[in-house]
Amino acid sequence: MSSIEIKVPDIGDFSEVEVIEVLVAEGDTITKEQSLITVESDKASMEIPSSAAGVVRSLKAKVGDKVKEGSVILSLEAAEDGVSAQSAAGTASVPAVGKTAEVASAGAAAVAETTAAAPAAVATPPISTPASPPVVAPRESPAPGQPRAGGTPGNLPYASPSVRKYARELGVDLSLVTGTGAKQRITHEDVRAFVKQAVSPDRLAAGGAGLSVLEWPKVDFAKFGPVETRPLSRIKKISGANLHRNWVMIPHVTNNDVADVTDLEALRAQLNKENQKSGPKVTMLAFLIRAVVASLKKFPELNASLDGDNLVFKRYYHIGFAADTPNGLVVPVLRDADAKGVMEIAAETADLARQAREGKLSPSQMQGGCFSISSLGGIGGTSFTPIINAPEVAILGVSRAAIAPVWNGQAFAPRLMLPLSLSYDHRVIDGALAARFNAYLVSLLADFRRIAL
Ligand code: CAO
């Protein structure tokens, strides 16, 4: 082992350049061609590679130093098969710094080309010269008086070659990263922080859209009174993550309407009276599913899903319905609802709801839904905003029916009015279409014979 000094090689036209990054530390074992420091001129930043392999004994260059050809970067305990001290001392060939700098000033297109070529330069440094030329990245200055953006479209982000390489390895688009280094240069730490934020649970829940919101408040509730902490159920954790994503990613609008279900309720009561012993209990939900299917047939945009720039129209009618269970909300799916009558729907939804409460639903029984219904009518409420069950584009919320005075043209009559809250994805469904859908549904529920038309 021999001790050698690694010096700054010939750096072309530049008499003095600033050290902006030190890429190794004392005690590091380095390989030949490994980048040691990044220096920056007014036209380009470049990495100086080592001309020998070995262990770094002492670092001589630090960030902010001005260095020139011959300045000592570090002293190295060279490995046995290392290069001779003389060659390590920086008798480097003239690097192409000046040439690259010209490219850099030749315009955005040329700059992009230089950048695109950079990976190869970094990955396989030239080996034909005693000391390889620095790896160079053109430097783009901000317009006078303008702050340097971490990256704006068309501008080359301001970062050293090693940061560019690091970003490439992680798949980070540097134009999206804000630089916090000197003169807003993007540092390794900036790339790390960007990735950390990109993979944070909140960000992932938002599908990468990213929300710039305050951190969730951390409160020691026990300071204010007795507390008991219980873990969320598995269902709550899964449904919570889905609801959160759907809420933040879908532009929801809710259309509220009321249906006169006086006659329908009378029919339901009559059917239940007739079927008391034999048939299933006929529920409002079963009528609603039947009416929703007829409405989806008339307004197929609500029986669709977004797929990038396309809208996928479904020619099947699988209807999900929210079921309240001891462990949380689940949405069983009634398949081929268009092929089933109200009695069959009533029997099947009752069975699915029972399986849901007993935690016996299989994943396939909760998949493939086209449209969902969330009925809180048996509990209460006058309206609410149901959250769309992605990738569906609409959901119907049903609140408690109540007797209300309705003007029939001559007088107010007591009618049973059912509140319907239709939430829709405004990217797919216009407000007018949603209002038409809801009005049509209202008309079917008011006179169920219309479904046969
Ligand atoms: N208005 C007034 N009363 C209603 C009604 C309405 N819209 N819907 C149902 N009811 C009444 C019924 O008449 C019935 O009363 P009777 O026992 O006197 O006949 C009672 O409420 C129970 O109704 P049901 O047996 O028809 O059941 P349902 O259709 O209300 O509910 C199901 C079935 C599975 C939807 C329900 O059990 C459930 O889980 N609902 C909650 C859904 C939910 O949690 N949604 C929110 C999702 S977002 O968090």
Side-chain angles (χ1 to χ4, degrees):
M1 288 250 212
S2 56
S3 185
I4 54 172
E5 286 184 328
I6 305 290
K7 296 179 180 174
V8 175
D10 180 356
I11 47 173
D13 297 342
F14 306 104
S15 53
E16 231 182 21
V17 288
E18 186 181 336
V19 178
I20 61 164
E21 266 180 318
V22 177
L23 305 167
V24 293
E26 287 177 0
D28 282 2
T29 301
I30 59 169
T31 56
K32 192 179 172 190
E33 310 296 353
Q34 182 173 336
S35 294
L36 303 176
I37 56 173
T38 307
V39 294
E40 183 183 73
S41 73
D42 57 347
K43 292 202 180 108
S45 58
M46 61 205 96
E47 286 179 7
I48 310 287
S50 180
S51 49
V55 178
V56 178
R57 283 296 163 227
S58 70
L59 264 173
K60 306 291 184 201
K62 59 180 187 314
V63 171
D65 283 358
K66 301 270 191 229
V67 295
K68 56 184 185 215
E69 183 184 354
S71 298
V72 179
I73 301 170
L74 53 82
S75 65
L76 189 76
E77 202 71 56
E80 290 306 325
D81 58 349
V83 189
S84 76
Q86 194 201 355
S87 63
T91 50
S93 61
V94 177
V97 173
K99 208 172 156 200
T100 312
E102 278 167 32
V103 173
S105 59
V111 167
E113 216 176 289
T114 311
T115 310
V122 174
T124 43
I127 51 168
S128 56
T129 53
S132 301
V135 178
V136 181
R139 174 181 161 178
E140 182 138 301
S141 294
Q146 291 295 309
R148 183 192 297 281
T152 51
N155 276 358
L156 191 68
Y158 182 33
S160 70
S162 71
V163 170
R164 289 176 193 288
K165 179 167 181 272
Y166 185 49
R168 271 195 304 278
E169 283 166 3
L170 296 176
V172 171
D173 177 355
L174 276 181
S175 69
L176 302 174
V177 180
T178 305
T180 60
K183 300 170 206 157
Q184 292 173 343
R185 181 189 307 112
I186 298 170
T187 65
H188 282 87
E189 193 40 53
D190 293 331
V191 176
R192 250 192 301 278
F194 180 85
V195 172
K196 231 168 143 180
Q197 200 210 346
V199 299
S200 72
D202 281 353
R203 176 84 178 227
L204 289 178
L211 293 174
S212 208
V213 293
L214 290 177
E215 280 194 13
W216 194 257
K218 282 211 180 327
V219 178
D220 177 9
F221 299 105
K223 274 199 327 199
F224 305 104
V227 295
E228 181 197 340
T229 304
R230 292 184 197 163
L232 287 174
S233 69
R234 203 179 65 86
I235 288 183
K236 273 232 161 67
K237 280 197 254 179
I238 296 170
S239 64
N242 279 287
L243 288 165
H244 187 190
R245 179 203 54 206
N246 299 347
W247 183 246
V248 299
M249 289 193 72
I250 301 174
H252 282 70
V253 181
T254 305
N255 178 286
N256 291 299
D257 210 333
V258 277
D260 183 338
V261 291
T262 316
D263 297 342
L264 190 59
E265 182 59 19
L267 172 64
R268 193 180 78 86
Q270 177 64 31
L271 289 171
N272 278 335
K273 207 166 149 194
E274 289 167 14
N275 294 334
Q276 226 162 16
K277 292 211 174 82
S278 51
K281 180 182 171 192
V282 184
T283 59
M284 186 53 82
L285 182 66
F287 283 111
L288 280 163
I289 289 176
R290 200 69 191 82
V292 158
V293 168
S295 305
L296 291 175
K297 285 187 171 170
K298 189 167 171 74
F299 300 96
E301 285 91 343
L302 282 91
N303 194 34
S305 282
L306 263 181
D307 180 16
D309 287 339
N310 295 324
L311 198 54
V312 181
F313 288 85
K314 292 154 205 168
R315 305 290 182 226
Y316 54 89
Y317 300 86
H318 303 335
I319 308 297
F321 63 98
D324 188 26
T325 78
N327 287 323
L329 168 75
V330 291
V331 185
V333 174
L334 177 89
R335 307 200 101 74
D336 301 312
D338 57 318
K340 293 171 181 168
V342 170
M343 295 305 208
E344 199 177 349
I345 294 174
E348 214 175 301
T349 50
D351 190 44
L352 286 168
R354 182 189 51 77
Q355 291 187 57
R357 280 192 293 274
E358 293 171 1
K360 289 185 177 157
L361 285 177
S362 66
S364 66
Q365 288 174 297
M366 294 181 276
Q367 287 168 0
C370 306
F371 181 100
S372 295
I373 299 178
S374 175
S375 174
L376 292 171
I379 304 166
T382 54
S383 73
F384 65 104
T385 307
I387 298 177
I388 295 163
N389 192 12
E392 297 165 18
V393 293
I395 180 170
L396 183 72
V398 183
S399 296
R400 189 169 191 76
I403 299 285
V406 177
W407 185 253
N408 64 14
Q410 276 131 16
F412 282 105
R415 307 292 294 176
L416 183 65
M417 305 304 289
L418 179 69
L420 302 174
S421 305
L422 177 77
S423 287
Y424 56 94
D425 184 338
H426 211 337
R427 295 171 301 178
V428 177
I429 299 159
D430 293 334
L433 180 68
R436 283 191 194 103
F437 178 93
N438 225 3
Y440 184 66
L441 183 61
V442 161
S443 74
L444 295 181
L445 294 170
D447 184 353
F448 218 70
R449 294 169 304 175
R450 289 176 184 273
I451 288 189
L453 298 178

